[in-house]
Amino acid sequence: MILALAGGVGGAKLAVGLAARLPPERLGIVVNTGDDFVHHGLSISPDLDTVMYWLAGINDAGRGWGVADETWAYMAALRQAGKADWFQIGDRDLATHEYRTRRLAQGDTLSQATRLLCERLGVGHAIVPMSDRPVATIVHTGEGALAFQDYFVRRQCEPAVTAIGFEGVENAAPSPGFAQAMADPDLEAVVICPSNPLLSIEPILSLPGVREWLRHRRVPAIAVSPLVGGKAIKGPAAKIFAELGLDVSAAGIARHYRGLIDCLVVDEVDAATVPSIEAEGMRAAVTRTVMRSAADRAALAGEVLDLAARLGAGADA
């Protein structure tokens, strides 16, 4: 089994590529829930929904998030009623949030609600939340502490970031599906998708026991850099790295994951960073990492899986 850690559009894209290469019984996808929040009484899980919509094949390819062919009557009604409309919820997307909210109110866990949503959308691969307990990403800025969606959507990532915290993480635990995957004797490799390391992957790693497990796992762990030529394909990763004084490069990603992975996969434009990556005590693999098409996603997933197989066999990668 391959265990993928994901969040955001970059994570969803590689998850789709992996799902194209692996049958459901061989792939588990653990998704960040640090950006979950309640808005207008609805329980919203943006990263879970993004990954789920991509695997269901109903994602909005242009925006990256949300559902294709969306309509916006609900948002128009909110505006007419004078309600906050800074977080966009389409009508088809609303059905997902309503169903999740109702299931949680009836006593389901987030894992159970997610499984039912995936079944309704025909997603066969396991998508599981990182935890069934709430963990809230808090972005500390020069303007004070902001809840994640306030920073990311309402403020459009404008305030300068000084620190990032995860409220409630000390009382959380990996979800049953996540815990089962970590303990699975058939686990072959861990893949950290090209998601924002600080906003999408760090909440997962901050759960009690996860970072320690990753340090001592006995299977290969591979990460794909979300930075290409010092820039993020989508999102504020490069901006936040710079504001926190971190190296905005593939080598900086390697430094961030030092001790947790065996190999960092970087784009061809970052080939010159290979010596710096290797200086962090890991291997580097160079390939095309920008995923513009289904073929790109499947090709990158195939290369990551081949690399994992070689590392697992002890061969020279």
Side-chain angles (χ1 to χ4, degrees):
M1 194 194 78
I2 303 297
L3 173 61
L5 308 183
V9 176
K13 286 183 175 182
L14 186 55
V16 169
L18 292 169
R21 295 280 184 176
L22 298 169
E25 65 271 15
R26 288 200 59 213
L27 177 63
I29 306 163
V30 172
V31 180
N32 165 53
T33 59
D35 56 356
D36 288 15
F37 75 132
V38 176
H39 190 58
H40 294 307
L42 299 169
S43 295
I44 301 176
S45 297
D47 275 6
L48 277 171
D49 291 345
T50 295
V51 174
M52 182 174 64
Y53 292 157
W54 274 84
L55 263 72
I58 63 171
N59 60 290
D60 186 307
R63 288 179 297 155
W65 55 270
V67 185
D69 302 319
E70 187 63 276
T71 57
W72 301 95
Y74 174 68
M75 292 306 303
L78 282 181
R79 283 190 291 272
Q80 188 174 24
K83 302 290 186 179
D85 63 354
W86 55 267
F87 189 89
Q88 296 293 296
I89 302 173
D91 301 329
R92 297 180 69 191
D93 193 29
L94 174 63
T96 296
H97 306 321
E98 188 280 332
Y99 183 82
R100 177 187 296 112
T101 302
R102 180 158 42 87
R103 297 302 310 193
L104 293 175
Q106 291 173 356
D108 281 359
T109 64
L110 183 57
S111 291
Q112 291 168 330
T114 301
R115 177 177 55 79
L116 291 170
L117 280 165
C118 286
E119 289 176 357
R120 286 162 61 95
L121 292 176
V123 177
H125 292 78
I127 300 173
V128 299
M130 68 182 200
S131 180
D132 282 335
R133 295 183 66 87
V135 175
T137 297
I138 305 296
V139 183
H140 298 272
T141 75
E143 302 177 20
L146 296 173
F148 178 82
Q149 298 300 341
D150 280 343
Y151 167 77
F152 192 73
V153 179
R154 187 174 65 84
R155 298 299 309 278
Q156 295 290 294
C157 306
E158 289 180 0
V161 176
T162 58
I164 299 171
F166 308 107
E167 188 176 89
V169 73
E170 66 279 359
N171 297 318
S175 65
F178 188 9
Q180 182 179 351
M182 289 191 290
D184 193 332
D186 293 325
L187 183 65
E188 300 171 50
V190 179
V191 176
I192 298 179
C193 294
S195 306
N196 187 311
L198 300 174
L199 298 180
S200 293
I201 301 300
E202 193 63 25
I204 303 174
L205 301 182
S206 296
L207 289 168
V210 173
R211 195 181 302 272
E212 193 69 11
W213 170 79
L214 200 53
R215 285 196 183 103
H216 295 98
R217 67 201 145 70
R218 298 190 178 188
V219 298
I222 300 165
V224 179
S225 174
L227 298 182
V228 177
K231 298 179 180 179
I233 299 298
K234 191 175 182 67
K239 173 182 180 290
I240 295 175
F241 261 60
E243 290 168 351
L244 294 179
L246 304 174
D247 181 4
V248 188
S249 71
I253 299 297
R255 193 165 301 118
H256 180 76
Y257 287 137
R258 180 172 51 197
L260 301 177
I261 63 173
D262 302 301
C263 181
L264 181 68
V265 179
V266 302
D267 193 78
E268 295 164 337
V269 303
D270 291 313
T273 66
V274 167
S276 297
I277 293 169
E278 292 176 339
E280 299 298 331
M282 66 187 69
R283 303 188 190 207
V286 179
T287 189
R288 182 178 176 182
T289 64
V290 180
M291 296 173 282
R292 294 191 175 92
S293 67
D296 291 339
R297 295 188 286 272
L300 179 57
E303 294 203 39
V304 169
L305 293 173
D306 288 345
L307 178 59
R310 294 199 302 274
L311 289 173
D316 185 0

